[in-house]
Amino acid sequence: MIYVTRKTHFNAAHRLHNPEKSDEWNQQTFGKCNNHNWHGHNYVLEVTVAGEPDRDTGYVIDLGKLKTIIKKKILDPCDHKNLNLEVPFLENVIPTSENLVKAFYDQLKTDIEKAASNNSRLYSVKLFETERNIAEYCPDRAR
Amino acid sequence: MIYVTRKTHFNAAHRLHNPEKSDEWNQQTFGKCNNHNWHGHNYVLEVTVAGEPDRDTGYVIDLGKLKTIIKKKILDPCDHKNLNLEVPFLENVIPTSENLVKAFYDQLKTDIEKAASNNSRLYSVKLFETERNIAEYCPDRAR
Amino acid sequence: MIYVTRKTHFNAAHRLHNPEKSDEWNQQTFGKCNNHNWHGHNYVLEVTVAGEPDRDTGYVIDLGKLKTIIKKKILDPCDHKNLNLEVPFLENVIPTSENLVKAFYDQLKTDIEKAASNNSRLYSVKLFETERNIAEYCPDRAR
Amino acid sequence: MIYVTRKTHFNAAHRLHNPEKSDEWNQQTFGKCNNHNWHGHNYVLEVTVAGEPDRDTGYVIDLGKLKTIIKKKILDPCDHKNLNLEVPFLENVIPTSENLVKAFYDQLKTDIEKAASNNSRLYSVKLFETERNIAEYCPDRAR
Amino acid sequence: MIYVTRKTHFNAAHRLHNPEKSDEWNQQTFGKCNNHNWHGHNYVLEVTVAGEPDRDTGYVIDLGKLKTIIKKKILDPCDHKNLNLEVPFLENVIPTSENLVKAFYDQLKTDIEKAASNNSRLYSVKLFETERNIAEYCPDRAR
Amino acid sequence: MIYVTRKTHFNAAHRLHNPEKSDEWNQQTFGKCNNHNWHGHNYVLEVTVAGEPDRDTGYVIDLGKLKTIIKKKILDPCDHKNLNLEVPFLENVIPTSENLVKAFYDQLKTDIEKAASNNSRLYSVKLFETERNIAEYCPDRAR
């Protein structure tokens, strides 16, 4: 099994806010991340595909195609956008890094597995909100 | 002459927008950076002080004091904030990196030069909007 | 399963030395890392918690709380300290990176699992002694 | 189980080209990576060994010995070389990152497992072709 | 005076070889960098423009335009190419980093100074051949 | 004028302590950096030489020779050492980054200027004590 990773980046505004809860709850729970005038990040995104290299190409997946899929499914809707207000697939999602990696994984899975060589699978989506705060979704990893 | 640099970071939302111009002009000039719902960055800030080390301490400036000044004058007002709406010293400033480094320099100069050893001066303020886009203000550097 | 990582750093002195062995054995085994006048590192520490995000907060663990636990349990006792002489929980531990990640994991586990959402667990402790030398303890990972 | 990683680097030229296929197929499949005058990379290589630390040394593997093995088996044959023309163990291998990590793993396994402490095993070989394009071979990881 | 920097990257093959000298001289002078089968690098390029921000835009130069100029004048001719054989403006240039930064500066100067705001100038071209080997051309800097 | 930089690294222990002052003064001035059991750092060192490239080689200085000089004059005496106790050229120097860059510059200047091409000069010595705390000595830079 070989793991191939493509690293990309985008910039966006967000705030952590649960609209089903009171302002007091939100302020207490999320602190400065709840600022109603937003803040933002340079997000770094790593997408990993696992599989066997194709015999003719030596590729698990053509990284050019992977780059194109990530651009279409994640960067175009998210880059220089407000993650709470402007991204259709994030509607009703509190944009914590945990929730974002799960949503990004679901966005990417079908297209990537069509483009990869036989039986390769989307393995992991990892998001660096900052260099210090990181989340990863990796549903098939044995605990 | 010895140059001492302290590197810090903060996250903020902004948009590039000149309120004296039309929406069309702004959209055409600033493109996706003009998005009216904001976007944001993990800003990295480097502040450089130039001078001679003090004989007793070996310090041009105590980096702990420099850190405290940067926190009070820049990070507290800017971190997790909206640079267009919430920072008093950025009122009427289009928050390009060029304008930010000039404004940050003016914010920092007096306090830093009081805390530094004899005749040391604030030399440069450098801001990484992203790893790829960088601005620096350095008024005393010979061209 | 979602993996959340917090990255922190501290500086410390250490030497590799097994007091149950002769000086010759130590010098031959550990070379310059055995220097009796110590050397030191800027350690980078990554702590990863695995679990399901809480429905209300979207958090596996509040990274602010995780940061506070790491500070109390690891950074306060270790930062700017001598790992051989001054850290109670490292008594009788040869401070190789391998031994440090195991000791740090044991220090962190209880407090982190109390602060995380339901059933989340401390998954991994990773330590960069330098950018080139890295150790990780991850007891639940299937080999 | 503890995982110890050594990070190294080398520079090399290569091109992606399958000699059993036509020039048209190669150009269409590999694009600019097929350039017949070659291109090159600063490769970064991470080698991870998994095991239990030795009681006397605290080492899973002496990183100095690991460094020496990587130098002899990978860096000496590959550094400042043409991966398509000059590396005996890469003969008939299309030098994609996927194929390189598999070949490097096979080159390293025997020597590393001899040098490591009891029952330690070569766990993973990870190669950064660029900061953005990464491949890893990790045969024992549960999917 | 404000300094604005755009960071980009490209991959290329090269060798250090002076065709006016003997093979022995070249081998002795350039060592493994003279390998006749080439080697290569992930070059990182930083281009810095110095000037006063425009009052309406807050820009010394629109970084989108700077990116386009660097792509057209440097990346398109150099990326995934052989610097000794395939780049017209490097004909008869030994592709050391020192010579490359001078050649890149000359390639970029006219277009950048047309695109920048009043009186802004190309200030510096800096090239990272590796993370450890760096050259910069900066003709107007006072020594 | 072209600037060529070589980046290297070493690990060392130190403490900030002025032996001519009282323990109270030292503790108050240097805080945790004064810890009498030492602490340490992964120092990163950048040495920059300025000059004109040689016509035959395209080099301001052969970076292999520069690497050898830095190893002999700085890394061999300082790596895995205690900077307060074991480095002859740092005797009576309080090892702040400011004092280290000045001392390193004086150590390097003669050998580097002998090895460089005509009229090239040691331009700058820059030391990263951590990623966040940096000092540079650059005596010929116009303020």
Side-chain angles (χ1 to χ4, degrees):
Chain A
M1 186 69 63
I2 293 192
Y3 302 82
V4 178
T5 298
R6 174 73 191 176
K7 185 176 172 181
T8 56
H9 53 86
F10 64 94
N11 311 318
H14 82 155
R15 68 184 292 216
L16 300 186
H17 185 78
N18 183 339
E20 298 175 358
K21 299 281 185 175
S22 69
D23 283 358
E24 289 71 22
W25 185 93
N26 275 290
Q27 178 54 36
Q28 191 163 25
T29 304
F30 295 121
K32 62 184 179 179
C33 300
N34 181 242
N35 179 17
H36 74 286
N37 282 318
W38 320 99
H39 66 283
H41 297 290
N42 303 332
Y43 287 97
V44 174
L45 178 66
E46 292 184 357
V47 176
T48 299
V49 179
E52 296 299 333
D54 179 85
R55 294 200 66 140
D56 286 343
T57 63
Y59 282 163
V60 167
I61 185 169
D62 180 334
L63 284 177
K65 287 183 191 162
L66 180 54
K67 183 182 172 184
T68 302
I69 294 168
I70 298 169
K71 181 177 185 306
K72 179 182 150 202
K73 304 292 279 190
I74 308 293
L75 306 191
D76 286 348
C78 295
D79 187 36
H80 283 76
K81 293 286 167 53
N82 186 309
L83 301 182
N84 300 63
L85 302 179
E86 298 181 297
V87 182
F89 69 83
L90 295 177
E91 210 174 339
N92 297 321
V93 173
I94 305 171
T96 60
S97 300
E98 290 94 323
N99 287 342
L100 291 176
V101 287
K102 176 70 171 62
F104 291 171
Y105 185 96
D106 293 341
Q107 274 293 102
L108 291 166
K109 187 173 177 63
T110 306
D111 281 20
I112 285 176
E113 296 187 356
K114 265 187 215 158
S117 61
N118 269 353
N119 296 320
S120 292
R121 297 180 59 185
L122 177 55
Y123 178 71
S124 153
V125 170
K126 193 171 185 177
L127 186 70
F128 295 71
E129 189 182 75
T130 70
E131 283 184 31
R132 288 156 292 282
N133 295 345
I134 307 159
E136 184 183 17
Y137 182 53
C138 186
D140 295 333
R141 179 186 291 158
R143 172 80 183 246
Chain B
M1 185 71 62
I2 292 192
Y3 302 82
V4 178
T5 298
R6 174 74 191 174
K7 185 176 171 180
T8 56
H9 53 86
F10 64 95
N11 310 318
H14 82 153
R15 70 183 292 216
L16 300 186
H17 185 78
N18 182 340
E20 297 176 357
K21 299 283 186 176
S22 70
D23 283 358
E24 289 72 21
W25 184 93
N26 275 289
Q27 178 53 37
Q28 192 164 24
T29 303
F30 295 121
K32 63 185 180 179
C33 301
N34 181 241
N35 178 18
H36 74 285
N37 282 318
W38 320 99
H39 64 283
H41 296 291
N42 302 333
Y43 288 98
V44 174
L45 179 67
E46 293 185 355
V47 176
T48 299
V49 179
E52 296 299 333
D54 179 85
R55 295 199 65 139
D56 286 343
T57 64
Y59 282 162
V60 167
I61 185 168
D62 180 334
L63 283 178
K65 287 184 189 161
L66 180 55
K67 184 182 171 183
T68 302
I69 294 168
I70 297 170
K71 182 176 184 307
K72 178 181 151 203
K73 304 292 279 191
I74 308 291
L75 305 191
D76 286 348
C78 295
D79 187 35
H80 283 77
K81 293 287 166 54
N82 185 309
L83 301 182
N84 300 63
L85 301 179
E86 298 181 297
V87 183
F89 70 83
L90 294 178
E91 211 175 339
N92 298 321
V93 173
I94 304 171
T96 61
S97 300
E98 290 94 323
N99 287 341
L100 291 176
V101 288
K102 176 69 171 64
F104 291 171
Y105 185 98
D106 293 341
Q107 273 293 103
L108 291 167
K109 188 174 176 62
T110 306
D111 281 21
I112 285 176
E113 296 186 356
K114 265 187 212 157
S117 62
N118 269 353
N119 296 320
S120 292
R121 298 180 58 184
L122 176 56
Y123 179 71
S124 154
V125 170
K126 192 172 184 175
L127 186 70
F128 296 71
E129 190 184 75
T130 71
E131 283 185 30
R132 290 156 291 282
N133 294 347
I134 307 158
E136 184 184 17
Y137 182 52
C138 187
D140 295 334
R141 179 185 291 158
R143 172 89 182 241
Chain C
M1 185 71 62
I2 293 192
Y3 302 81
V4 178
T5 298
R6 174 74 191 173
K7 185 176 172 181
T8 55
H9 53 87
F10 64 95
N11 310 318
H14 82 153
R15 69 183 293 217
L16 300 186
H17 185 79
N18 182 340
E20 297 175 359
K21 299 282 185 174
S22 70
D23 283 357
E24 289 71 22
W25 184 93
N26 275 287
Q27 177 55 36
Q28 192 164 23
T29 303
F30 295 121
K32 63 185 179 180
C33 301
N34 181 242
N35 178 19
H36 74 286
N37 282 319
W38 320 99
H39 66 282
H41 296 291
N42 303 332
Y43 288 98
V44 174
L45 178 67
E46 292 184 356
V47 176
T48 299
V49 178
E52 295 300 333
D54 179 85
R55 294 200 65 139
D56 286 343
T57 64
Y59 283 161
V60 167
I61 184 169
D62 180 334
L63 284 177
K65 288 183 190 162
L66 180 55
K67 182 182 172 185
T68 302
I69 294 167
I70 298 169
K71 181 176 185 306
K72 178 182 153 203
K73 304 292 279 190
I74 308 292
L75 306 191
D76 285 348
C78 295
D79 187 35
H80 283 77
K81 293 288 167 52
N82 185 309
L83 301 182
N84 301 62
L85 302 178
E86 298 181 299
V87 183
F89 69 85
L90 295 177
E91 211 174 338
N92 298 320
V93 173
I94 305 172
T96 61
S97 300
E98 290 93 324
N99 286 341
L100 292 176
V101 288
K102 176 69 170 63
F104 291 171
Y105 185 97
D106 294 340
Q107 273 294 103
L108 290 167
K109 188 173 176 63
T110 306
D111 282 20
I112 284 176
E113 296 186 356
K114 265 187 214 156
S117 62
N118 269 353
N119 296 319
S120 293
R121 298 180 59 184
L122 176 56
Y123 178 71
S124 152
V125 170
K126 192 171 185 177
L127 186 70
F128 296 71
E129 189 183 76
T130 70
E131 283 183 32
R132 288 156 293 282
N133 295 346
I134 308 158
E136 184 183 16
Y137 182 53
C138 187
D140 295 334
R141 179 185 291 159
R143 170 97 181 232
Chain D
M1 186 69 62
I2 292 191
Y3 301 83
V4 178
T5 298
R6 174 74 191 174
K7 185 176 171 180
T8 55
H9 53 86
F10 64 95
N11 311 318
H14 83 153
R15 68 183 293 216
L16 301 186
H17 185 78
N18 183 339
E20 298 175 0
K21 300 281 186 176
S22 70
D23 283 359
E24 289 71 23
W25 183 93
N26 275 289
Q27 178 54 36
Q28 192 165 22
T29 303
F30 295 121
K32 62 185 180 179
C33 300
N34 181 242
N35 178 19
H36 74 286
N37 282 317
W38 321 98
H39 65 283
H41 297 290
N42 302 332
Y43 288 98
V44 175
L45 178 67
E46 292 184 356
V47 176
T48 299
V49 179
E52 296 300 332
D54 179 86
R55 294 200 65 142
D56 285 344
T57 64
Y59 282 163
V60 167
I61 184 168
D62 179 335
L63 284 178
K65 287 183 190 162
L66 180 54
K67 182 182 172 184
T68 302
I69 293 168
I70 297 170
K71 182 178 184 305
K72 178 181 151 204
K73 304 293 279 189
I74 308 292
L75 306 190
D76 285 348
C78 295
D79 187 34
H80 283 76
K81 292 287 167 51
N82 185 310
L83 301 182
N84 300 62
L85 302 179
E86 298 181 297
V87 183
F89 69 84
L90 296 177
E91 210 174 338
N92 298 320
V93 173
I94 305 171
T96 60
S97 300
E98 289 94 324
N99 287 342
L100 292 176
V101 288
K102 176 70 171 61
F104 291 172
Y105 185 97
D106 293 341
Q107 274 293 102
L108 291 166
K109 186 173 177 63
T110 306
D111 282 20
I112 284 176
E113 296 186 356
K114 265 187 214 158
S117 62
N118 269 353
N119 296 320
S120 294
R121 298 180 59 185
L122 176 56
Y123 178 71
S124 153
V125 170
K126 193 171 184 176
L127 186 70
F128 296 71
E129 190 184 76
T130 70
E131 283 184 30
R132 288 155 292 282
N133 295 346
I134 308 159
E136 184 183 17
Y137 183 53
C138 187
D140 296 334
R141 179 185 291 158
R143 171 84 183 244
Chain E
M1 186 70 62
I2 292 190
Y3 301 82
V4 178
T5 298
R6 174 75 191 173
K7 185 176 172 180
T8 56
H9 53 87
F10 64 95
N11 310 318
H14 82 153
R15 68 183 293 218
L16 301 186
H17 185 78
N18 182 339
E20 297 176 0
K21 299 282 185 176
S22 70
D23 283 358
E24 289 72 22
W25 184 93
N26 275 289
Q27 178 54 37
Q28 192 164 25
T29 303
F30 295 121
K32 62 184 178 181
C33 300
N34 182 241
N35 179 19
H36 74 286
N37 282 318
W38 321 99
H39 65 282
H41 297 291
N42 303 332
Y43 288 98
V44 174
L45 178 67
E46 292 184 356
V47 176
T48 300
V49 178
E52 297 298 334
D54 179 85
R55 296 201 65 142
D56 286 342
T57 64
Y59 282 162
V60 166
I61 185 169
D62 180 334
L63 283 178
K65 287 184 190 163
L66 180 54
K67 183 182 172 184
T68 302
I69 293 168
I70 297 169
K71 181 176 186 306
K72 178 182 152 204
K73 304 293 280 189
I74 308 293
L75 306 191
D76 286 347
C78 294
D79 188 34
H80 282 76
K81 293 286 166 54
N82 185 309
L83 301 182
N84 300 63
L85 302 179
E86 299 181 297
V87 183
F89 69 84
L90 295 177
E91 210 174 339
N92 298 320
V93 173
I94 305 171
T96 61
S97 300
E98 290 94 323
N99 286 341
L100 291 176
V101 289
K102 176 69 171 64
F104 291 171
Y105 185 97
D106 293 341
Q107 273 293 101
L108 291 166
K109 188 174 176 63
T110 306
D111 281 20
I112 285 176
E113 296 188 354
K114 266 187 213 156
S117 62
N118 269 354
N119 296 320
S120 293
R121 298 181 58 184
L122 176 56
Y123 178 71
S124 154
V125 170
K126 193 171 184 176
L127 186 70
F128 296 71
E129 189 183 75
T130 70
E131 284 184 29
R132 289 156 291 283
N133 294 346
I134 308 158
E136 184 183 17
Y137 183 52
C138 187
D140 295 333
R141 180 186 290 158
R143 172 85 183 244
Chain F
M1 186 71 61
I2 292 191
Y3 301 82
V4 178
T5 299
R6 175 75 191 173
K7 185 175 171 180
T8 56
H9 53 86
F10 65 94
N11 311 318
H14 83 154
R15 69 183 292 217
L16 300 186
H17 184 78
N18 183 339
E20 298 176 358
K21 299 283 186 174
S22 70
D23 283 358
E24 289 72 22
W25 184 93
N26 275 288
Q27 178 54 37
Q28 191 164 25
T29 303
F30 295 121
K32 61 185 179 179
C33 300
N34 181 242
N35 179 18
H36 74 287
N37 282 318
W38 320 99
H39 66 283
H41 297 289
N42 302 333
Y43 288 97
V44 175
L45 178 67
E46 291 184 358
V47 176
T48 299
V49 178
E52 296 298 332
D54 180 85
R55 294 200 66 140
D56 286 342
T57 63
Y59 282 163
V60 167
I61 185 169
D62 180 334
L63 283 177
K65 288 183 190 162
L66 180 55
K67 182 182 171 184
T68 303
I69 294 167
I70 297 169
K71 181 176 185 307
K72 178 181 151 203
K73 304 293 279 190
I74 309 292
L75 306 190
D76 286 348
C78 295
D79 187 35
H80 283 76
K81 293 287 167 52
N82 185 309
L83 302 182
N84 299 63
L85 302 179
E86 297 181 298
V87 183
F89 69 83
L90 295 178
E91 211 175 338
N92 298 321
V93 173
I94 305 170
T96 60
S97 300
E98 290 94 324
N99 286 342
L100 292 176
V101 288
K102 176 69 171 63
F104 291 171
Y105 185 97
D106 293 341
Q107 273 293 102
L108 291 166
K109 187 174 176 62
T110 306
D111 281 20
I112 284 176
E113 296 187 356
K114 264 187 214 158
S117 63
N118 269 353
N119 296 320
S120 293
R121 299 179 59 183
L122 176 56
Y123 179 71
S124 153
V125 170
K126 192 170 184 175
L127 186 71
F128 296 72
E129 189 184 76
T130 70
E131 283 184 31
R132 289 157 292 283
N133 294 347
I134 308 158
E136 184 183 18
Y137 183 52
C138 188
D140 295 334
R141 180 185 290 157
R143 172 79 182 247

